[in-house]
Amino acid sequence: MLYFYRAGGKPEKKTTEEIMFTLTPPMGWNSWNTFAQNIDENLIRQCADVIVEKGLDKLGYKYVVIDDCWSEKVRDKNGRLVPDKKKFPSGMKALADYIHAKGLKFGMYSCAGTLTCGGYPSSYEYEFIDAKTFAEWGVDFLKYDFCFKPEFVQGKNLYRRMGAALANCGRDILFSACSWGAEQTHEWIRSTGAGMWRSTGDIFDSWESIKSIILQQIDRAGAYCGAGAMPFGGIGCFNDMDMLVVGMHGKGHVGLTGCSYEEYKTHFSAWAIFASPLMIGCDIRNMDAETEKILTNKDVIAVNQDERGAQPYIANEVWLKAHNAGSPVIARLMNNGDIAVAMFNLSDEKARVDFRGDQLGLSRSTRVRLFARDLWSGEEFEIHNYTYCTQAEPHSCTLLRVKIIPEE
């Protein structure tokens, strides 16, 4: 049992499950990628219903998040935000109560600038009023964007101010800082109290967008130009690679060309190995069977949600630097001692991908045997000679969980 102190209050008892949002990447559904401004309370209720009906909540998808364009264009006479009367006639408190009654958590959106990205009232210089309002409504999650930022104010101070407002609002609200990695976000984000932070620009439903975001993580992790996003994620403040586009198939607000199922699997594998929050962005009311299969892969989710929170690393960094190629290998130590290994083929051609035990610190001198499970096919096999090699399809990812067995 852990004890927490709120300003001016008595110590509160909480189990680790009750504060799990700081220990593992948050999971849920967000309205933006598919619906953007076309939202209302009926849609949000329907999506909450589907999360429970399909058992997504039991896999960890707990947050139901309303993104931008939910409010009236003008605050009320007391300076408080007002929900759009046509979209949300019952009000946000009633919607939060509905979501909570299903065992889910309720998320909302605001912005650090003078307007939200959609042109609605933001929380700039209203941080404490808005935080109190969100708390009264029963909000559990706040996505905080970075549009229309005043030029004379540093972004870190805007996020610190909202972080302080949320810490004093009387309710536990997960702070999702969406500053796109701007102004060297990684250097100061933990000082804001945020539980997750966006390290990239917006995602779109195309292979090029997914590939670009994956390469940004690798680039910033040290393969090409020094430290950045990957070393700065982890327990307490997770590196957010943006919401998922799995299953959008070119439809919706950020729908472009769409992706193949293989590309969606690569997308989900990357978000898992990098420990990014998993926020579904498709219309979950109309998921096809293959999309649902990807989003509910328990083995892949387990990699994402691993409680050790170990930093992912580039296993083949030396080779990658020398060849500047599209076959990065990312590894991460799991809580039970296994090592998750993601071997990407980001190129447009079939290519050989491989990893060697020495890249994981496991050379022949360690006297161990390596057994692997392919987390997409379910195949299990021993890795002989401390080397695994396979021919990979274009835009694919082989995601393995490698068990280490000492030789007798």
Side-chain angles (χ1 to χ4, degrees):
M1 186 70 69
L2 303 178
Y3 288 83
F4 288 81
Y5 291 81
R6 185 171 301 285
K10 295 180 180 180
E12 303 174 26
K13 293 182 181 180
K14 292 193 175 182
T15 64
T16 54
E17 287 78 12
E18 290 175 308
I19 59 162
M20 191 59 74
F21 66 83
T22 62
L23 301 179
T24 60
M27 298 173 62
W29 174 85
N30 181 292
S31 63
W32 184 257
N33 280 1
T34 295
F35 300 103
Q37 74 276 10
N38 299 313
I39 52 175
D40 58 39
E41 61 184 43
N42 290 329
L43 169 69
I44 305 305
R45 289 173 185 246
Q46 289 169 13
C47 290
D49 292 344
V50 171
I51 288 173
V52 175
E53 289 167 5
K54 291 186 173 292
L56 296 174
D57 56 327
K58 292 179 174 60
L59 297 174
Y61 295 104
K62 292 286 190 180
Y63 290 97
V64 179
V65 183
I66 300 172
D67 211 283
D68 202 353
C69 310
W70 59 266
S71 75
E72 295 284 350
K73 287 293 185 80
V74 180
R75 291 173 177 266
D76 69 15
K77 62 181 181 180
N78 297 314
R80 291 167 61 107
L81 292 166
V82 179
D84 186 302
K85 295 180 178 62
K86 293 181 179 178
K87 295 178 180 178
F88 300 95
S90 302
M92 291 303 178
K93 179 63 169 64
L95 184 56
D97 289 346
Y98 183 88
I99 290 170
H100 290 153
K102 291 187 168 291
L104 304 175
K105 294 180 181 293
F106 180 48
M108 293 193 68
Y109 168 99
S110 191
C111 186
T114 55
L115 290 173
T116 71
C117 298
Y120 290 77
S122 72
S123 293
Y124 175 63
E125 296 190 329
Y126 286 89
E127 291 87 356
F128 283 82
I129 294 175
D130 289 355
K132 182 180 179 182
T133 300
F134 295 145
E136 291 172 354
W137 287 346
V139 172
D140 304 296
F141 178 108
L142 178 66
K143 177 182 173 182
Y144 204 53
D145 225 329
F146 205 46
C147 290
F148 297 102
K149 185 190 81 78
E151 294 183 7
F152 57 88
V153 182
Q154 291 181 308
K156 59 186 176 184
N157 288 334
L158 294 175
Y159 281 91
R160 286 169 181 163
R161 193 155 71 198
M162 180 51 88
L166 292 174
N168 286 276
C169 73
R171 183 178 179 84
D172 289 326
I173 299 178
L174 192 157
F175 188 20
S176 173
C178 185
S179 63
W180 324 320
E183 299 187 13
Q184 301 299 306
T185 301
H186 62 274
E187 295 180 358
W188 47 262
I189 191 59
R190 285 183 177 270
S191 70
T192 70
M196 54 190 276
W197 67 284
R198 269 279 292 282
S199 61
T200 72
D202 289 354
I203 194 170
F204 293 91
D205 184 21
S206 73
W207 168 247
E208 289 305 317
S209 178
I210 293 169
K211 176 181 176 181
S212 173
I213 290 174
I214 294 171
L215 289 175
Q216 285 178 51
Q217 305 305 307
I218 295 165
D219 189 40
R220 292 168 178 169
Y224 304 124
C225 67
M230 206 156 75
F232 292 89
I235 292 173
C237 190
F238 288 92
N239 167 24
D240 178 13
M241 296 161 64
D242 204 2
M243 298 165 289
L244 298 166
V245 295
V246 175
M248 289 190 64
H249 299 296
K251 300 175 182 178
H253 182 69
V254 303
L256 291 181
T257 59
C259 297
S260 67
Y261 289 118
E262 191 67 45
E263 290 165 344
Y264 284 140
K265 285 165 61 177
T266 298
H267 170 27
F268 200 63
S269 298
W271 269 235
I273 196 73
F274 287 123
S276 173
L278 300 177
M279 305 299 290
I280 299 172
C282 69
D283 184 351
I284 55 175
R285 302 170 305 171
N286 299 302
M287 285 191 296
D288 59 39
E290 191 64 26
T291 293
E292 188 170 346
K293 184 177 178 181
I294 292 170
L295 292 173
T296 60
N297 185 311
K298 293 181 180 179
D299 291 331
V300 178
I301 291 173
V303 170
N304 176 266
Q305 295 288 297
D306 189 77
E307 294 179 11
R308 180 175 291 270
Q311 177 184 316
Y313 60 93
I314 306 165
N316 63 340
E317 183 174 359
V318 174
W319 185 88
L320 210 57
K321 283 181 176 179
H323 296 84
N324 192 26
S327 300
V329 177
I330 308 299
R332 186 153 67 95
L333 180 64
M334 300 283 97
N335 198 40
N336 70 342
D338 293 352
I339 299 178
V341 180
M343 297 179 291
F344 293 93
N345 177 16
L346 303 178
S347 73
D348 297 331
E349 305 293 335
K350 196 168 184 176
R352 190 188 76 172
V353 296
D354 62 73
F355 80 87
R356 299 183 299 277
D358 64 281
Q359 295 171 334
L360 309 179
L362 301 173
S363 62
R364 193 177 303 277
S365 63
T366 58
R367 305 288 184 183
V368 298
R369 297 173 68 186
L370 304 179
F371 292 85
R373 174 179 170 82
D374 186 313
L375 300 188
W376 287 111
S377 71
E379 179 187 2
E380 297 180 346
F381 53 90
E382 183 172 3
I383 297 173
H384 297 286
N385 301 314
Y386 295 86
T387 302
Y388 177 75
C389 178
T390 187
Q391 288 292 115
E393 296 296 324
H395 308 174
S396 69
C397 176
T398 301
L399 182 58
L400 303 178
R401 186 158 181 147
V402 179
K403 186 171 292 294
I404 302 168
I405 306 294
E407 290 184 353
E408 296 181 357

